[in-house]
Amino acid sequence: MRAAGPTPDRPLPAGRARRSELATPASSERMCAKAPQSGADLVFLDLEDACAPVVKESARGIAVAALTGQDWGRTLRAVRINGLDTVWCHDDIIEIVTGAREALDVIIVPKVRRARDVWWVDVLLTQLERKLGLARPIALEVLVEEAEGLANAAEIARASDRLEAIIFGAGDLSVSLHARVDGNFDPVGPYPGGFWHYARVQILAAARAAGIAAIDAPHPAYRDTNGYLGSARQAALLGFDGKWAIHPSQVPLANDVFTPTPAEIAAAEEITALYRDAEAGGTGAVGHDGRLVDAAHVRLAANVLAKAAGTG
């Protein structure tokens, strides 16, 4: 369990960029072979929803071969296992970790409902790492996509030191909440405001309190570029670090939206320099372009600069 959370002034989760997380069916050798060239910050080979029950076991071998037999460059290599309440989960973890070893960076755990779900995977990974003599720990990401998981998001986000990101899963959350949505998880009728705003903020706040990354839900309509961009921009404005992509064409869109622009970086650097100069002279705030700049603005600027450094 996490002993303590981050300090209030911590700008962004330390660690690796996750602007784009590309889903790839673990059962498809062709798609697995193409995934390293996608440009995604993270690629996950999916043993869960992307695999029919009859191929879930055989897909493990395809995933291991793809992880160990290809040059992934800087891309994070991940696998989404089946849910803890399925007959496949236990063997997913054992076979993937035993086969991939250091070629696996992250395991994504779906349908997490409570902290003990994360703890169970953590303990099994610890045993495997010791048994296999792995040089570094395997990180975790978790999907919050059940009503119970949303209610427990804060405790889930602090459940393990392995945990690097929490992901908003709109699809299964729609089912769990009995929401009336279309195939893109948008409301089927007029709705006053952001339909998923509350869920997004719950997940984002849980991630920030725990000092980990927050990843936005997929946009299933992969030919709907404007729709994907609109969804990604809303998430980025709230503070999310990245978004899932269910098609390679969505990867550059996510990378662009979640990377600070040159203008944003320049403004952050200017504000920081102005404030530090004023601070050195004994002033706690300074006027700039007709508005006050104080310590809160400097911390906002630090967020931008930290994100820019992480995606460079």
Side-chain angles (χ1 to χ4, degrees), residues 45-65:
L45 308 182
D46 190 13
L47 295 171
E48 197 207 17
D49 289 347
C51 290
V54 294
V55 298
K56 284 185 183 292
E57 294 181 7
S58 61
R60 296 172 190 148
I62 297 173
V64 168

Side-chain angles (χ1 to χ4, degrees), residues 78-127:
V79 170
R80 177 165 67 164
I81 60 174
N82 286 283
L84 272 65
D85 59 349
T86 71
V87 299
W88 302 287
C89 176
H90 183 264
D91 288 342
D92 283 348
I93 298 172
I94 292 175
E95 291 187 28
I96 292 294
V97 173
T98 301
R101 303 196 179 208
E102 274 83 6
L104 177 66
D105 298 308
V106 179
I107 283 179
I108 299 177
V109 187
K111 299 179 177 64
V112 172
R113 294 176 172 86
R114 57 191 76 85
R116 73 183 187 188
D117 295 344
V118 185
W119 176 85
W120 184 88
V121 178
D122 189 331
V123 170
L124 182 53
L125 283 176
T126 299
Q127 294 171 346

Side-chain angles (χ1 to χ4, degrees), residues 278-291:
E279 188 179 45
T283 302
V286 62
H288 178 61
D289 288 341
R291 60 183 172 87

